[in-house]
């Protein structure tokens, strides 16, 4: 069986150093607020090219805390609006709701599945306060256009970079440094993954970084003295140590995933299975390698019966989710719905061998 992703095999690639750093943390007796968290925050901020990184418990919290902090700093009101890419995991929208704001779904482009920035003007209202482009699958949204739009209308830009660790634009700037702030997830399956949930906020905004750090610590800057109605969202020493180790390999991880993606795009030639970005090379770091097929469910079952596991990202668009249907009742996102009906994610990770890649390609080309 070719797994979609074997975390055990991925972890083995970091041995024996991975077990060593885990052992060091356990024996240190310091599990929160130690030097390992501070070191990872410095390292990831430097990697992204920003002044600040604040480690938090997960990616959902990272986005939530950015919005909560901006709401506090800029005196936004409950129900003010954030425009969000419609093609995304539900967490992007849940973060807006958790911050007491209203999400507005923006459909995506047909060719790259990313926020269709040309629709932003039509979604703008007097209550719009921010735009949240989601770098889905590992490719960057049209940030120059989005930033120019936001600047014109006095809006904040919050990158959802949960799938884009290390992705760069044409000028070499990395995800996490392109907007006013960014939220990252280090869920174990990410290109940069922890051994549990973990996340981070990156920004060049001094005031935002300070507020996020306070809000993530129960709203407290000084122990037992609470100035804000915060939450408990902390990255621990163990996850920080693991992430610091893996950060040194991230560019190599991304390069390998891009190599696998290049083979898929070049060698899959079944006319009923479309490769991403119309088969062209993309700057994506390919957290996900998606293919698209009108008979997606049949293709998935066909591959499974022949020993290849796949995943769908995502079968139900956020605006059709029971928990979000009412708040997003006015959403018009036909391209997102089209993607969700057809998308299938192929195995794409550093544990995958060239022979396994060949097997997957040959099976897809034989699908009828």
């Amino acid at each position: 069986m070719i797994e979609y992703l074997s975390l055990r095999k991925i972890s083995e690639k970091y041995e024996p150093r991975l077990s060593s750093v885990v052992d060091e943390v356990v024996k240190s007796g310091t599990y929160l607020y130690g030097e390992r968290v501070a070191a990872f925050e410095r390292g990831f901020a430097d990697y992204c090219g920003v002044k600040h990184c604040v480690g938090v418990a997960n990616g959902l919290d990272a986005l939530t805390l950015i919005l909560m902090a901006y709401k506090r700093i800029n005196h936004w009101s409950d129900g003010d609006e954030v425009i969000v890419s419609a093609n995304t995991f539900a967490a992007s929208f849940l973060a807006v709701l958790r911050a007491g704001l209203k999400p507005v779904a923006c459909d995506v482009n047909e060719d790259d599945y990313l926020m269709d920035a040309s629709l932003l003007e039509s979604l703008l209202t007097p209550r719009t306060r921010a735009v949240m482009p989601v770098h889905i699958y590992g490719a960057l949204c049209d940030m120059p256009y989005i930033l120019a739009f936001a600047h014109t209308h006095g809006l904040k830009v919050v990158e959802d970079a949960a799938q884009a660790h290390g992705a760069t634009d044409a000028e070499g700037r990395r995800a996490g440094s392109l907007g006013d702030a960014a939220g990252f997830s280090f869920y174990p399956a990410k290109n940069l993954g922890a051994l549990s949930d973990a996340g981070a906020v990156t920004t060049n905004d001094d005031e935002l970084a300070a507020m996020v750090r306070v809000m993530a610590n129960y709203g407290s800057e000084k122990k037992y003295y609470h100035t804000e109605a915060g939450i408990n969202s902390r990255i621990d020493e163990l996850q920080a140590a693991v992430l610091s180790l893996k950060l040194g390999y991230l560019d190599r991880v991304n390069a390998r995933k891009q190599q696998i993606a290049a083979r898929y795009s070049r060698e899959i030639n079944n006319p009923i299975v479309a490769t991403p970005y119309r088969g062209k090379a993309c700057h994506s770091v390919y957290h996900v390698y998606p293919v698209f097929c009108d008979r997606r469910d049949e293709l998935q079952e066909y591959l499974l019966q022949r020993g290849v596991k796949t995943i769908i990202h995502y079968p139900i668009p956020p605006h059709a989710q029971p928990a979000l249907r009412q708040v997003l009742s006015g959403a018009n996102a036909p391209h997102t719905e089209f993607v969700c009906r057809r998308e299938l994610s192929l195995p794409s990770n550093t544990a995958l061998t060239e022979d396994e890649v060949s097997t997957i390609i040959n099976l897809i080309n034989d699908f009828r």
Side-chain angles (χ1 to χ4, degrees):
M1 181 65 68
I2 300 175
E3 299 286 340
Y4 176 75
L5 175 67
S6 170
L7 292 176
R8 177 183 59 80
K9 290 181 180 179
I10 295 296
S11 292
E12 286 174 354
K13 290 187 170 293
Y14 297 97
E15 294 292 7
R17 294 185 64 194
L18 180 60
S19 292
S20 178
V21 299
V22 170
D23 187 57
E24 288 172 6
V25 173
V26 172
K27 290 179 177 177
S28 75
T30 300
Y31 307 130
L32 288 170
Y33 294 130
E35 176 52 34
R36 291 171 182 85
V37 168
F40 172 69
E41 290 178 338
R42 290 193 300 269
F44 195 62
D46 288 345
Y47 179 84
C48 292
V50 295
K51 292 169 61 178
H52 303 285
C53 169
V54 182
V56 297
N58 54 67
L60 172 57
D61 281 0
L63 295 172
T64 302
L65 285 160
I66 292 168
L67 295 172
M68 289 174 64
Y70 272 139
K71 186 180 179 186
R72 178 72 174 85
I73 292 167
N74 297 303
H75 308 291
W76 296 350
S77 300
D78 286 347
D80 281 348
E81 296 170 358
V82 179
I83 302 173
V84 185
S85 297
N87 182 33
T88 184
F89 182 55
S92 307
F93 287 88
L94 294 175
V96 180
L97 291 175
R98 288 178 74 201
L101 302 168
K102 179 182 178 181
V104 176
C106 179
D107 203 8
V108 296
N109 296 302
E110 186 176 2
D111 291 344
D112 62 13
Y113 336 111
L114 298 164
M115 174 178 276
D116 185 347
S118 70
L119 298 176
L120 291 173
E121 193 76 43
S122 67
L123 299 172
L124 185 69
T125 77
R127 300 200 69 176
T128 305
R129 299 292 177 260
V131 179
M132 185 185 291
V134 181
H135 304 317
I136 199 75
Y137 307 146
L140 297 178
C141 294
D142 186 354
M143 295 304 291
Y145 188 111
I146 294 168
L147 289 166
F149 174 84
H151 179 75
T152 298
H153 297 285
L155 310 177
K156 294 296 182 182
V157 176
V158 179
E159 298 173 75
D160 182 337
Q163 297 188 7
H165 313 73
T168 56
D169 65 9
E171 298 180 13
R173 295 173 299 185
R174 286 195 168 108
S177 69
L178 305 174
D180 294 290
F184 284 89
S185 165
F186 303 120
Y187 179 75
K190 304 295 187 183
N191 290 21
L192 179 61
L195 297 183
S196 182
D197 277 318
V201 171
T202 59
T203 185
N204 285 313
D205 185 330
D206 297 342
E207 186 177 14
L208 176 74
M211 180 62 76
V212 166
R213 198 172 290 281
V214 168
M215 298 290 279
N217 184 35
Y218 300 98
S220 173
E221 186 174 3
K222 183 173 65 174
K223 194 168 184 178
Y224 302 135
Y225 182 76
H226 303 267
T227 57
E228 306 292 337
I231 63 174
N232 173 23
S233 183
R234 297 176 289 196
I235 190 171
D236 61 62
E237 286 283 285
L238 177 60
Q239 304 312 325
V242 168
L243 289 168
S244 288
L245 167 64
K246 289 187 172 185
L247 181 59
Y249 295 88
L250 178 56
D251 289 343
R252 276 175 277 182
V253 169
N254 289 344
R256 175 57 183 152
K257 290 171 79 77
Q258 288 169 331
Q259 289 172 351
I260 294 169
R263 282 202 63 191
Y264 282 149
S265 296
R266 184 172 62 249
E267 298 177 38
I268 291 175
N269 55 28
N270 190 329
I272 63 174
V273 180
T275 53
Y277 317 115
R278 298 190 180 274
K280 298 178 181 178
C282 178
H283 59 260
S284 177
V285 292
Y286 291 99
H287 166 63
V288 167
Y289 185 92
V291 294
F292 303 89
C293 181
D294 289 333
R295 295 161 53 200
R296 185 263 311 282
D297 294 345
E298 291 179 55
L299 175 59
Q300 185 175 41
E301 181 61 24
Y302 161 87
L303 290 171
L304 181 61
Q305 291 301 318
R306 287 154 182 81
V308 177
K309 291 185 178 180
T310 57
I311 291 180
I312 298 170
H313 292 97
Y314 299 96
I316 303 173
H319 63 270
Q321 294 285 354
L324 296 169
R325 194 179 297 143
Q326 184 173 356
V327 72
L328 297 174
S329 61
N332 180 27
H335 289 152
T336 295
E337 293 167 3
F338 188 66
V339 168
C340 291
R341 286 195 303 270
R342 302 175 74 243
E343 193 275 343
L344 186 67
S345 301
L346 303 184
S348 174
N349 58 79
T350 57
L352 206 61
T353 68
E354 291 299 327
D355 285 345
E356 289 172 329
V357 174
S358 295
T359 296
I360 294 166
I361 291 168
N362 291 333
L363 285 172
I364 291 175
N365 287 338
D366 289 342
F367 177 66
R368 296 291 181 267

